[in-house]
Amino acid sequence: MATYRCPQDGTRADAADLTWCCPVCRGPWDLDFDVRSAASLNSLTGRVNSLWRYEEALPLGNPAVSLGEGRTPLVPLTASVSAKLDYLMPTLSFKDRGAVMLAELARRLSPERVVADSSGNAGTAVAAYCARAGLPCTVYVPEGTSPKKTEQIRAHGARLEIVPGNREATARAARAAADAPGTFYASHVFNPYFLHGTKTYVYELWEDLGGSLPDAIAVPVGNGTLLLGAALATSELLAQGLIDRRPALIAVQAEAVSPLAAAFRAGADELLDSPDHVSPTLAEGIAIPRPPRARQILAAVRESGGTFLTVAEDRIRTAQQDLAARGFFVETTGVACWAAVGDWTDRSVVVPLCGAGLKTGLAGADPAAAS
C-alpha cells in the first residue's frame, strides 16, 4: 500500500491508517507510490472495459467493488471542441472515478463506518460504492441540495445528514464525525486516492486519441478534484514518454463564486480573503469558497501553461439549453466548461459533461433556485 504525504510540511502516514488529514497542519494528503512501467496502446487491447484497464498507474488493483465505471464516450461538438460524456457513469457523474477508489480502499481497511460530505454527486457516488462494498455509510449534505440527489443517496441505503448552512458548514460537520475512532472519511477532497481515480479521465483521452492529448483540457473547478487528477495523469504520461507535451489546463469557475480565479489573476499562490457566504449560482457543484487544495490547483494550472475562465449565470443557462438542443441533457455545473470554451476555434480542447441533467433539472429564470 502507498504512503500518505502532506504537501505542506512533509509529514507522512501509512495509507492503511484511518488518518484522514495531516495531524500537524490538518491539511489534505498527497499519495506517494510508484507508477509501474508504461502500458503501450497495443497492450490495452483485450483488457477490462473500465478505468481499471490502466492498472499500472493505479495505487489499487483487483477491485471487488467496481460497477463498470469509466471508458465514457468522446464526442465532437465542433471542429475544435469535443465532449467526454462522464455523465454516462453508474451514478450519473464523473465522481464515480474517485468514489470507487475510496470504497475499495475502505473495504480493505474494514472500518466501522464510512462518512462523506458533498453537494450531491460525490455523496451519491460514495453511497453507491459503499453499498456495493457492504459498508455502512453516512453522507452529509447542505440544506438546499437537489432533492433528486438526496433521493439517490437514500436509495443506495446511506444515512443522510442534512446540515443547516452552506457547503463549508457541511464539510466541518463531516470532518468532526470523521475524527471518531473506527471511521473512514471518504473525502473526495482530502483523500488522494480519489485524485488517482479521476486521473483516469485523461488516460482515457490519451487512449481514445491514439496516444496523444488535445491542446487544452477544460474542467470545472470547485475543490479541483478533476483538475488535479488531470495534472497527475499528464505528468505521469509525460514522465513515461507516452506524450511529448502537456496540454494546457483550463480551469472554469462560476463568476458568482470564483475565489481561485481571483487568486490566479492576482498572481497569488494562495486564496485571497474569501467569505463564508457565497452568492447563489446555477453551478452549485463548484460553489466552493475555500478549497483546501487551492495552492495545488493554482500551481497545476500555471505549470501547464493554462488559465482560469469564469462564466456568468446567463451563460450557464444558455449553455445548458444549447447542449440539450444538441442532444445532451447535462446538469448546470457540468455545462460550465462548454459555456466558457464552446466558441473556441484556434486550438483543440476537450470539455467534460460531468453530471446528468436529471440530477438538477433545466435551469429556470432564477439562479437562486438551484443553489
Side-chain angles (χ1 to χ4, degrees):
M1 193 165 288
T3 302
Y4 290 141
R5 174 181 51 82
C6 175
Q8 297 297 322
D9 56 40
T11 301
R12 292 180 179 272
D14 192 328
D17 295 339
L18 295 178
T19 306
W20 63 267
C21 68
C22 172
V24 177
C25 70
R26 300 285 286 182
W29 292 117
D30 279 351
L31 194 67
D32 283 346
F33 86 104
D34 293 326
V35 175
R36 285 176 282 165
S37 58
S40 66
L41 286 175
N42 289 338
S43 73
L44 297 174
T45 302
R47 291 194 183 186
V48 61
N49 193 35
S50 73
L51 62 81
W52 296 97
R53 68 198 279 110
Y54 310 107
E55 58 184 357
E56 292 88 350
L58 297 176
L60 297 173
N62 301 314
V65 298
S66 176
L67 293 169
E69 56 287 331
R71 298 295 293 140
T72 55
L74 181 65
V75 179
L77 294 176
T78 70
S80 301
V81 183
S82 295
K84 189 155 175 59
L85 311 189
D86 255 29
Y87 67 90
L88 298 180
M89 289 276 201
T91 75
L92 308 182
S93 91
F94 87 94
K95 295 290 176 61
D96 289 10
R97 293 185 182 276
V100 68
M101 301 294 290
L102 296 184
E104 179 62 27
L105 177 61
R107 183 190 68 82
R108 298 179 188 197
L109 300 181
S110 300
E112 295 176 21
R113 70 194 67 81
V114 175
V115 300
D117 60 283
S118 169
S119 59
N121 285 340
T124 296
V126 170
Y129 284 94
C130 281
R132 182 74 164 175
L135 294 168
C137 178
T138 300
V139 179
Y140 292 76
V141 300
E143 61 183 353
T145 297
S146 165
K148 297 176 182 181
K149 293 180 180 180
T150 56
E151 182 180 6
Q152 271 190 293
I153 292 169
R154 287 192 175 102
H156 292 303
R159 176 184 172 190
L160 189 68
E161 292 283 351
I162 298 176
V163 180
N166 61 14
R167 183 68 181 83
E168 292 293 306
T170 303
R172 288 193 294 268
R175 291 167 197 166
D179 284 330
T183 302
F184 180 87
Y185 184 25
S187 172
H188 59 293
V189 182
F190 278 75
N191 193 305
Y193 277 85
F194 194 94
L195 306 181
H196 285 272
T198 61
K199 76 181 182 184
T200 59
Y201 173 89
V202 170
Y203 276 88
E204 290 177 18
L205 289 181
W206 169 77
E207 183 180 358
D208 290 341
L209 295 174
S212 64
L213 289 174
D215 296 327
I217 297 173
V219 292
V221 175
N223 278 308
T225 55
L226 185 53
L227 183 137
L228 291 173
L232 276 171
T234 55
S235 293
E236 291 170 2
L237 288 166
L238 187 64
Q240 296 284 330
L242 296 173
I243 56 174
D244 56 13
R245 59 168 181 82
R246 294 179 65 177
L249 297 178
I250 310 300
V252 179
Q253 295 203 289
E255 191 176 279
V257 187
S258 51
L260 290 161
F264 182 87
R265 291 165 184 166
D269 294 330
E270 298 274 9
L271 292 178
L272 309 175
D273 289 340
S274 182
D276 277 332
H277 173 74
V278 296
S279 301
T281 176
L282 292 165
E284 60 179 1
I286 53 174
I288 309 296
R290 293 193 180 105
R293 293 187 185 268
R295 175 179 281 271
Q296 291 175 282
I297 295 166
L298 291 165
V301 172
R302 289 190 173 109
E303 288 168 7
S304 75
T307 191
F308 275 81
L309 300 175
T310 59
V311 289
E313 297 303 301
D314 59 343
R315 289 285 300 275
I316 295 172
R317 187 180 297 107
T318 300
Q320 188 189 36
Q321 295 167 346
D322 179 66
L323 281 173
R326 296 168 185 263
F328 306 101
F329 187 30
V330 183
E331 69 172 329
T332 45
T333 298
V335 305
C337 291
W338 175 241
V341 305
D343 57 357
W344 281 19
T345 58
D346 59 336
R347 51 180 168 164
S348 60
V349 60
V350 172
V351 301
L353 303 187
C354 297
L358 295 175
K359 285 174 170 282
T360 56
L362 192 64
D366 180 8
S371 65

